[in-house]
Amino acid sequence: METLLEQIESGKLWQFPGGIHPPEQKTLSNQQPIARLPLPDKLILPLKQHIGANGSLLVQSGEHVLKGQALTAPGTNWSLPIHAPTSGIIEAIKPMPSAHPSALPELSIILRPDGEDRWTPLNPISDLNTLDNKQLIDIIHQAGIAGMGGAGFPTYVKADSPKPIEFLVVNGIECEPYITADDRLMREHAKEIVAGVEVLQGILKPQKVLFGIEDNKPEAIAAITAAAQHNQDILVRSVPTKYPSGGEKQLVKVLTSKEVPSTGIPADIGVLVQNVGTLFAIWQAIFEGKPLIERVVTVTGNTITQPSNVWALLGTEIKHLLDSQGFSPVEAQRVVMGGPMMGFTLPSVRIPVVKTTNCILAPDNQELAIPGDEKACIRCSACADACPQSLLPQQLQWFAKGKEYQKLEEYNLFDCIECGACSYVCPSEIPLVQYYRVAKADIREQKLEQVKAERAKERFEARKERLEREQEERQNKHKRRSAGAAPKAADKEKVQEALSRVKDKQSDKSAVQAAIARAKAKQGENGELEPDNSAIAEERAKRKAQARKYKEEKTDQSESTDKKDAVAAAIARAKAKKAAAQTAPESEPAAADDKKAAVAAAIARAKAKKEAAEDTPEPEVNAAPSDKKAAVAAAIARAKAKKAAKQAEEADESNQADASQSAQTDNTDEDPRKAAVAAAIARAKAKKAAKEAEEAGASVSEQAEAAPTESAEEDPRKAAVAAAIARAKAKKAAKEALEAGESMNEQDKEVNEPTAGSETDSSGTEQDAEGTSEQQRALSPEARKKAAVKAAIARAKAKKQAKEQEGNEPS
């Protein structure tokens, strides 16, 4: 059985699944040689034209640069420099639209050519044997070479592969319709491409170099075969035309039968793939010393008068390429960067050419029809049959629309090479590739956020550990200090005690010296030594000051007590007035009987005087009685108050009975004078009940006042509470007596009035009322006058008694 290498050497090829055969349209541009364009008015050079990070700027605005001069310095993380495509002046460094479907702005260098096209000094290498692999890789790196087949992967990273490479595969397929840049490059520069292959061959040391070219490019196959005939390790293979055989994984499958693992790269299986344009750039960097500043671009389409391939300086605007090839736009004109399968429509023709630009397609409306509206999937499985990666495009589209990112990864979304074969064959015109691109971007962004969150969590945990460690160190430090500070504190205390003793001795000495000095002074004045009485005088002065202070405090207390008593009396008077105002019923008319107002005023004044007398402080008694006596006095006061209230109720009931009896008596049998007499008797009884209630209240207050104030050693609260309860009950009895008197007055009024109180029972009510009124009118005028006079005399007597009671009340 033949080995894999023997099968490859024998020319055996393998097939990949899926694939389509779209119209090639390559004869439009591959018949003319690669043309040179005039210098554009300006060049726009984005700092990022590859997969990886930007380089750091080396120039400033207004600076003059030469052709091939480095404008940025490469950094880390797959960074590549960019170089000046021609000599000129740096006009500006600012964000400009990028070569992307969104045209998002990216930081770019705007170079204004000076027309001289002067080169910076170059350092070509004539003999490869003078340089080692590291130096060769560094030259490739500093030349800024990236994969020119469309991916833009840094070439120096591939050349410095840590894994052993068994096969070096050169991609000359160029399977997408319309594009012929690699075809013309292989035809015109086959020797240079083979020289670039030999540079990588010396670095990687592969067993064989497999050069794959589609069988629709016979001229290119012949040119490469002739250029590589001196190298037996380079095997040129003619691959059947089928899209997308130019895909990296598909080409490896066709030439080596090996399959690149999912989410893997060809280096994982010992294979390295390079594009013919990249190999030509390697030759220029090594043997001419030129960096990557230009590339071959196919300019084609039915709206182009002279479709062909041109050498385009990096940074040249697409408009300049179109105008140079005779662009005749049509209505709703589209310009596509790349081929019809994997390219994208440009939002503007002011977009610059970058390292990955291989084609500018300007079709008319019939050549590349505008896709129609998306329709529902009919589950025809045409997309699955055409997929070169053996994926399930329909399922991926459903998951992408539902943003089920986990399902997308489970169904190997990232194995999709975005070749567009599924969209090409879809009868429902579903833009499947667009769904996949958006989903990939979302997943990448989500993972990036997760990475950021994990890093933030790590930083937080590290900070937390650091703070805890520092806190623990501080606590240990304080413990050590406290342990060592104890003996020092004891020593300090001893020193302070010694100093205080010294100071005491010094003060004693100074006092003695002062006394001696005073004695000498007195002796000098009088001639005799007199006794020193200064200490006794100071003591006497202190006692006098204390006595004055005590007297002032006592005076202040007495003043404050007088003020408090006055305030309390004022409050009591205000409360009495308020109680008097509340005794008058709200529903009573303004023109009430004078009797009621007089009685209410008298009771109010009596209460006010009583409360003022209670609030007046009495002199302290040295021998205070016990709490039992105060309790007995309060109990007696409560009993008397209850008795007075009961008598008031009985008087009220008897008055009401007399009034109702007089009202119910037939008016035809009795004289109205009897009614007046009955009313007077009722008022007298009410006044008597009120008087008894007031006397009961007065006796209660006297007994409460008779209870002397307790000394400072006994609790005065019990006696005060008992006295307050007794006063409240006395007030209640007085109020009930007043209400009884008012009710008697109302009944008297009802008896005298002819229209009130004449009803006796429910039967014959109207007839009784009419009879009573007729009898009233039948009386003589003299009889009515006599009854009125007697009622007035009774009211006057009641007023007089009330005044006498007011005069007899203690003030």
Side-chain angles (χ1 to χ4, degrees):
M1 185 177 179
E2 291 182 342
T3 62
L4 177 60
L5 183 59
E6 291 173 347
Q7 292 178 14
I8 291 172
E9 289 176 347
S10 64
K12 183 177 179 179
L13 299 176
W14 290 263
Q15 294 294 324
F16 62 89
I20 57 176
H21 295 84
E24 296 178 2
Q25 301 290 339
K26 293 181 179 290
T27 56
L28 293 174
S29 58
N30 65 357
Q31 303 302 316
Q32 295 83 22
I34 303 172
R36 286 278 176 186
L37 298 179
L39 283 174
D41 294 336
K42 66 177 180 179
L43 298 171
I44 302 172
L45 299 166
L47 269 60
K48 184 177 181 180
Q49 303 183 27
H50 58 280
I51 294 176
N54 300 343
S56 56
L57 284 168
L58 298 175
V59 294
Q60 302 177 10
S61 298
E63 185 177 345
H64 186 271
V65 295
L66 299 176
K67 185 176 182 178
Q69 179 179 338
L71 304 179
T72 63
T76 58
N77 195 17
W78 298 352
S79 179
L80 289 177
I82 59 173
H83 301 78
T86 186
S87 59
I89 296 175
I90 304 298
E91 189 175 85
I93 301 174
K94 61 181 182 180
M96 296 293 289
S98 61
H100 189 270
S102 63
L104 291 173
E106 290 183 354
L107 187 63
S108 305
I109 298 173
I110 301 176
L111 175 63
R112 185 70 62 177
D114 57 7
E116 298 179 3
D117 204 31
R118 287 186 298 161
W119 276 95
T120 188
L122 303 178
N123 298 310
I125 303 300
S126 57
D127 186 6
L128 291 178
N129 296 326
T130 60
L131 301 175
D132 57 13
N133 292 345
K134 187 177 182 304
Q135 291 174 325
L136 291 173
I137 293 171
D138 188 62
I139 292 173
I140 295 171
H141 186 193
Q142 295 300 325
I145 301 173
M148 301 174 71
F153 198 85
T155 303
Y156 82 95
V157 177
K158 285 187 175 182
D160 194 17
S161 175
K163 298 179 181 180
I165 301 301
E166 186 179 0
F167 299 105
L168 174 61
V169 175
V170 179
N171 189 350
I173 300 297
E174 201 172 38
C175 60
E176 189 158 356
Y178 287 95
I179 304 176
T180 59
D182 290 346
D183 184 12
R184 292 305 309 182
L185 187 64
M186 287 187 288
R187 292 188 196 184
E188 299 179 22
H189 298 280
K191 291 182 179 179
E192 290 84 352
I193 292 172
V194 171
V197 170
E198 290 175 346
V199 171
L200 286 182
Q201 191 177 9
I203 295 173
L204 298 171
K205 304 289 189 300
Q207 293 183 6
K208 293 293 179 179
V209 177
L210 305 178
F211 212 120
I213 306 173
E214 274 189 317
D215 55 9
N216 62 355
K217 303 176 181 62
E219 296 86 352
I221 293 173
I224 295 297
T225 301
Q229 62 183 356
H230 65 281
N231 192 332
Q232 301 299 322
D233 292 332
I234 298 177
L235 304 177
V236 181
R237 294 290 180 261
S238 177
V239 178
T241 301
K242 183 181 179 182
Y243 182 83
S245 58
E248 187 177 59
K249 296 181 179 181
Q250 284 68 39
L251 184 59
V252 170
K253 174 67 176 178
V254 169
L255 296 179
T256 67
S257 77
K258 293 185 176 184
E259 292 188 2
V260 180
S262 177
T263 67
I265 58 175
D268 296 336
I269 58 174
V271 179
L272 186 68
V273 182
Q274 290 289 0
N275 181 264
V276 293
T278 305
L279 294 170
F280 180 79
I282 290 174
W283 174 82
Q284 283 187 317
I286 299 298
F287 296 101
E288 292 187 347
K290 295 179 180 179
L292 180 59
I293 58 173
E294 62 181 359
R295 68 157 298 149
V296 181
V297 179
T298 301
V299 182
T300 184
N302 289 345
T303 60
I304 301 296
T305 306
Q306 300 173 355
S308 63
N309 292 281
V310 298
W311 284 105
L313 297 175
L314 300 181
T316 304
E317 290 182 339
I318 303 302
K319 185 178 185 301
H320 182 72
L321 270 67
L322 295 173
D323 293 342
S324 64
Q325 300 307 113
F327 177 49
S328 300
V330 296
E331 187 178 356
Q333 178 66 58
R334 288 186 296 158
V335 178
V336 179
M337 179 177 283
M341 302 299 294
M342 299 184 67
F344 57 90
T345 302
L346 293 172
S348 170
V349 292
R350 295 292 182 178
I351 301 297
V353 173
V354 295
K355 296 177 182 180
T356 58
T357 303
N358 57 1
C359 179
I360 300 298
L361 177 61
D364 57 19
N365 295 331
Q366 288 76 30
E367 185 180 10
L368 191 63
I370 298 174
D373 295 335
E374 178 182 341
K375 303 177 184 63
C377 176
I378 62 174
R379 296 174 176 81
C380 63
S381 76
C383 56
D385 296 337
C387 181
Q389 289 292 103
S390 299
L391 301 176
L392 298 174
Q394 179 189 4
Q395 292 289 110
L396 293 174
Q397 189 251 350
W398 287 344
F399 295 145
K401 288 182 72 173
K403 296 187 177 182
E404 299 182 41
Y405 299 136
Q406 186 175 358
K407 286 286 187 181
L408 287 171
E409 294 193 62
E410 291 176 1
Y411 279 72
N412 302 319
L413 172 66
F414 284 92
D415 284 349
C416 173
I417 62 174
E418 301 178 16
C419 64
C422 54
S423 300
Y424 182 81
V425 301
C426 180
S428 298
E429 299 188 44
I430 301 174
L432 296 169
V433 177
Q434 301 303 323
Y435 282 109
Y436 305 153
R437 286 174 177 169
V438 172
K440 285 181 179 180
D442 291 343
I443 292 173
R444 291 191 187 102
E445 185 177 359
Q446 191 179 61
K447 289 184 176 180
L448 183 62
E449 292 296 329
Q450 290 177 356
V451 171
K452 289 181 180 179
E454 290 176 359
R455 290 178 179 174
K457 184 179 179 181
E458 291 176 359
R459 291 195 300 270
F460 173 76
E461 290 177 352
R463 179 178 177 275
K464 186 178 179 181
E465 291 178 359
R466 177 175 56 81
L467 293 176
E468 290 177 354
R469 186 173 60 255
E470 291 177 355
Q471 185 178 5
E472 186 177 356
E473 290 176 356
R474 286 195 296 269
Q475 290 177 354
N476 294 335
K477 191 175 182 180
H478 290 321
K479 289 179 181 179
R480 291 193 298 270
R481 285 181 177 177
S482 61
K488 294 182 180 179
D491 296 340
K492 288 182 179 180
E493 290 178 357
K494 292 180 180 179
V495 171
Q496 292 294 335
E497 290 177 358
L499 291 174
S500 62
R501 288 195 297 271
V502 171
K503 288 180 180 179
D504 293 340
K505 290 180 180 179
Q506 290 177 355
S507 61
D508 295 340
K509 290 180 180 179
S510 61
V512 172
Q513 291 175 358
I516 294 171
R518 286 194 300 272
K520 288 182 178 179
K522 289 180 179 180
Q523 186 178 4
E525 292 175 359
N526 301 329
E528 296 179 358
L529 183 61
E530 296 179 358
D532 186 8
N533 297 326
S534 58
I536 297 172
E538 288 177 1
E539 291 293 334
R540 187 182 297 112
K542 287 180 181 180
R543 287 196 298 272
K544 288 181 180 180
Q546 289 178 357
R548 284 195 299 272
K549 186 176 180 182
Y550 177 76
K551 187 175 181 181
E552 290 174 358
E553 290 178 353
K554 192 171 181 181
T555 304
D556 293 340
Q557 288 178 359
S558 62
E559 291 178 357
S560 62
T561 303
D562 296 340
K563 289 180 182 179
K564 290 180 181 178
D565 294 340
V567 170
I571 292 171
R573 287 193 296 275
K575 288 182 179 179
K577 290 180 182 180
K578 184 177 179 182
Q582 290 177 352
T583 54
E586 296 179 357
S587 60
E588 188 177 0
D593 194 352
D594 296 338
K595 237 179 352 180
K596 299 176 184 179
V599 172
I603 293 171
R605 285 194 298 273
K607 289 181 180 179
K609 290 178 181 180
K610 180 181 175 183
E611 290 180 358
E614 289 174 356
D615 293 334
T616 303
E618 295 181 358
E620 296 181 355
V621 182
N622 295 330
S626 62
D627 293 340
K628 290 182 181 180
K629 292 181 180 180
V632 170
I636 293 169
R638 286 196 296 273
K640 290 183 178 181
K642 288 181 181 180
K643 184 178 180 181
K646 188 174 182 182
Q647 290 175 356
E649 289 178 0
E650 291 175 355
D652 186 10
E653 290 175 359
S654 61
N655 291 335
Q656 289 178 358
D658 294 339
S660 61
Q661 185 177 1
S662 61
Q664 292 174 0
T665 305
D666 191 356
N667 292 331
T668 59
D669 298 338
E670 294 182 2
D671 192 277
R673 288 178 292 179
K674 295 180 180 180
V677 173
I681 293 170
R683 285 195 296 272
K685 289 181 179 181
K687 289 177 181 179
K688 183 179 180 181
K691 186 176 181 181
E692 290 176 352
E694 288 179 4
E695 290 176 354
S699 64
V700 170
S701 62
E702 289 173 1
Q703 290 175 2
E705 291 172 0
T709 306
E710 293 182 357
S711 62
E713 297 177 357
E714 294 178 353
D715 189 3
R717 287 182 291 180
K718 294 181 180 180
V721 170
I725 293 171
R727 288 194 298 273
K729 290 186 176 181
K731 290 178 184 178
K732 183 178 179 181
K735 185 176 180 181
E736 290 174 351
L738 178 60
E739 291 174 355
E742 291 175 356
S743 64
M744 294 300 104
N745 293 331
E746 291 176 358
Q747 292 173 2
D748 182 17
K749 186 176 181 181
E750 289 175 356
V751 171
N752 292 329
E753 289 180 357
T755 58
S758 60
E759 297 178 358
T760 57
D761 50 69
S762 59
S763 61
T765 304
E766 295 179 358
Q767 294 176 0
D768 294 341
E770 290 176 359
T772 304
S773 60
E774 289 177 359
Q775 291 172 4
Q776 294 269 352
R777 286 192 298 269
L779 292 176
S780 63
E782 295 178 359
R784 286 198 297 271
K785 287 180 181 180
K786 289 179 180 181
V789 169
K790 289 182 179 181
I793 292 169
R795 286 195 296 272
K797 288 181 179 181
K799 288 181 181 180
K800 185 177 180 180
Q801 290 177 358
K803 288 181 180 180
E804 289 176 356
Q805 289 177 359
E806 183 180 351
N808 294 329
E809 288 177 355
S811 59

